[in-house]
Amino acid sequence: MALDGCGLLCKYILILFNVIFTLLGFVFLGLGLWLRFSGSTRGFFELQGSSAFVMAVIVLIALGSVMLIVVAFGDHGACNEKRCSLQVFSILLGILAVAEIAVGVLAYTNRKAVGQNIGEFYASMYVLYASSGDPVVGATLAFIHKTLHCCGATGFNFIEAVQNTCPKPDGFLGLVMPACPGIIVNVFDSKASMVLGVFMGTGALLITALVCATILLKQIKRNYQDMTAYYSNVY
């Protein structure tokens, strides 16, 4: 039997959710694997002082892998209307939603330490790109610079080793802009509520997808029961 309006809407919402999750999962996993196995980053995994970089790479790989696993169950369950896959998908979404909110609260309460760790990760990326010119690392730095509107370790565009990844400065004589390490720490300190809101918003999206999966699961179960009752009466 065909799905009704609410069930059909939930099905399309889940498909869209899975498409977005797939793209993000491949980006995180691809970046993490590149940073882990690239020849230019091998030294960071041999040094004891680069724990922030190593931890960030592990998080990227783990997060990307988990997202793709969740998407696999979600796509199979939503597109083929399979109850077992939707049940596993719902359980994984529930775990992710709780974990997302918990991480957000922990990041908020330990915002200074989190900011310092991310600053250390940025410093590792900065040194890596300055020494190797790795294009993937350069693209990552360019994204960070444009998002935070900062430039390298000094902020002086004309002497920066990574100046080609910096946005156009708007400071004194168009040459000076904020240095990124300080900006990163300040973002997690002064805008901690916004960071917490991002985590909570992501958790809310996961819960919305969980609700849709539950609605779709119940409707598939009801359709199956109606079909079973129909064939029982006929035969």
Side-chain angles (χ1 to χ4, degrees):
M1 296 179 66
L3 298 172
D4 62 21
C6 186
L8 193 60
L9 176 62
C10 283
K11 178 177 180 177
Y12 289 132
I13 290 176
L14 288 179
I15 292 175
L16 177 61
F17 172 85
N18 287 328
V19 169
I20 296 173
F21 239 52
T22 299
L23 295 175
L24 291 176
F26 275 120
V27 169
F28 291 150
L29 180 59
L31 178 60
L33 290 176
W34 180 278
L35 294 176
R36 176 60 184 88
F37 296 106
S38 175
S40 57
T41 63
R42 192 171 301 156
F44 286 99
F45 294 89
E46 299 173 355
L47 297 175
Q48 295 181 352
S50 56
S51 58
F53 180 85
V54 173
M55 183 59 66
V57 172
I58 293 174
V59 169
L60 284 173
I61 295 175
L63 182 59
S65 301
V66 169
M67 291 174 73
L68 292 178
I69 292 172
V70 172
V71 164
F73 284 103
D75 270 341
H76 185 258
C79 295
N80 299 299
E81 299 179 11
K82 299 294 184 180
R83 292 168 55 193
C84 183
S85 295
L86 280 175
Q87 288 172 343
V88 176
F89 178 66
S90 299
I91 293 172
L92 293 176
L93 276 182
I95 295 173
L96 281 179
V98 173
E100 185 77 20
I101 295 173
V103 169
V105 173
L106 289 175
Y108 179 80
T109 54
N110 300 280
R111 49 189 177 272
K112 290 186 178 180
V114 171
Q116 290 174 354
N117 287 332
I118 295 180
E120 291 176 12
F121 172 71
Y122 171 82
S124 300
M125 297 280 285
Y126 176 90
V127 172
L128 175 61
Y129 182 71
S131 61
S132 68
D134 190 300
V136 175
V137 176
T140 305
L141 285 178
F143 174 78
I144 295 174
H145 292 160
K146 291 179 181 178
T147 301
L148 300 178
H149 196 69
C150 59
C151 183
T154 64
F156 292 96
N157 189 282
F158 62 96
I159 64 171
E160 267 299 333
V162 298
Q163 58 180 307
N164 58 316
T165 66
C166 296
K168 184 178 180 180
D170 53 9
F172 177 70
L173 298 179
L175 298 175
V176 182
M177 57 193 317
C180 290
I183 291 293
I184 292 173
V185 174
N186 289 336
V187 163
F188 277 87
D189 191 17
S190 63
K191 298 183 179 179
S193 299
M194 182 185 299
V195 175
L196 178 62
V198 171
F199 279 100
M200 292 299 180
T202 305
L205 289 177
L206 293 172
I207 293 173
T208 301
L210 175 60
V211 171
C212 283
T214 304
I215 293 173
L216 183 59
L217 183 62
K218 289 183 177 180
Q219 190 164 135
I220 292 173
K221 181 179 180 180
R222 188 178 66 221
N223 288 349
Y224 175 78
Q225 292 173 342
D226 292 343
M227 187 176 297
T228 302
Y230 171 77
Y231 282 110
S232 298
N233 293 330
V234 171
Y235 299 102

